[in-house]
Amino acid sequence: MAEHGTKSVFFVCLGNVCQSPIAEAVFRKLVNDENVSWRIDSAATSTYEVENPPDYRGQNCMRKPDILMNHLARQITKEDFATFDYILYMDKSNLRDLNRKSNQVKNCKSKIELLGSYDPQEKLIIEDPYYGNDSDLELVYQQCLRCCKAFLEKTH
Ligand SMILES: *[C@@H]1O[C@H](CO)[C@@H](O)[C@H](O)[C@H]1NC(C)=O
Ligand SMILES: *[C@@H]1O[C@H](CO)[C@@H](O)[C@H](O)[C@H]1NC(C)=O
C-alpha cells in the first residue's frame, strides 16, 4: 500500500509492451534520481499481450541510458481508475478505450491525460511503434523522456 501523500501515476497504451512500459521505466528512473517517492505502474487497454515482456526493440533503446524495464503486460482494472492520481495515455484510440472503461467505474479518481500534452516540443501523440522499426522505438523513448521530465516538474 502506498504511503499517505505519495503521488501515483499510471501509463497506458494498447498492448503494454511498447510505449507504456518505456514511459513507466523512464519515469521510475527520473523519480529515483530525484529521491522522490511515487507509485508507478502501466497497463494495456487490451488483452493482446497479457503476461508478455516489453518489446525487445524498446528494451534495446533502454540499454544505453541504462534503464531497467521490469514489467509483464497486464490489462487495466477498475481498481486502477480508483487508486491512481494520473492515468497518462499515448494516442486517441487509448482515450476511447479508457473512456469506455472508466464509464463503468463509479469511483474514478484518476485525472486522465495525454502524456504528449506535457511535451515541451508539443508532439502530442506517441505513436504505436508495433509495426515500425528500431528508430520508431527510439522516437518513443525520446518522447517519453521529454514528457516524463516535464510531468515530474509540473507535479513535483
Ligand atoms: C539522491 O540521493 C543520493 C544518495 O543519497 C544523493 O547522492 C543524491 O545527491 C540525491 N539526489 C538528489 C537530487 O537529491
Ligand atoms: C524506419 O521507418 C521510417 C518510416 O516509418 C523511415 O523513415 C526510417 O528511415 C526507417 N529507419 C530505419 C533505420 O530503417
Side-chain angles (χ1 to χ4, degrees):
M1 209 61 226
E3 290 164 53
H4 182 71
T6 301
K7 291 181 202 156
S8 53
V9 64
F10 195 81
F11 299 94
V12 170
C13 64
L14 177 63
N16 194 211
V17 291
C18 289
Q19 307 108 300
S20 62
I22 290 178
E24 178 195 346
V26 164
F27 193 71
R28 179 166 288 119
K29 169 87 162 63
L30 292 174
V31 301
N32 284 346
D33 289 350
E34 293 278 326
N35 301 325
V36 290
S37 167
W38 277 72
R39 182 170 165 241
I40 306 163
D41 205 351
S42 67
T45 55
S46 74
T47 56
Y48 303 150
E49 300 278 352
V50 166
E51 295 296 326
N52 286 342
D55 189 293
Y56 70 94
R57 297 165 300 174
Q59 296 198 42
N60 286 342
C61 290
M62 307 292 261
R63 218 153 265 150
K64 204 156 55 164
D66 197 22
I67 299 176
L68 181 70
M69 271 201 287
N70 190 3
H71 187 80
L72 293 178
R74 70 173 178 90
Q75 191 178 31
I76 191 167
T77 65
K78 288 183 178 175
E79 197 185 334
D80 295 324
F81 287 102
T83 58
F84 280 90
D85 297 329
Y86 294 90
I87 293 178
L88 302 179
Y89 63 93
M90 308 296 156
D91 65 27
K92 298 218 169 90
S93 73
N94 300 154
L95 181 61
R96 277 194 299 275
D97 294 337
L98 286 171
N99 282 340
R100 217 171 12 244
K101 287 175 192 299
S102 69
N103 283 342
Q104 298 158 19
V105 177
K106 286 197 194 74
N107 52 345
C108 177
K109 113 170 193 183
S110 311
K111 259 184 152 166
I112 300 177
E113 297 180 330
L114 189 60
L115 178 58
S117 68
Y118 288 91
D119 188 355
Q121 295 183 20
E122 297 180 358
K123 198 148 184 329
L124 287 179
I125 303 300
I126 302 179
E127 302 281 356
D128 190 338
Y130 190 81
Y131 295 107
N133 58 27
D134 288 356
S135 44
D136 296 314
L137 268 295
E138 179 63 27
L139 186 63
V140 167
Y141 165 66
Q142 294 297 343
Q143 285 180 273
C144 287
L145 185 59
R146 294 199 302 267
C147 294
C148 284
K149 274 185 179 162
F151 172 74
L152 181 59
E153 268 168 30
K154 197 150 174 198
T155 49
H156 204 29

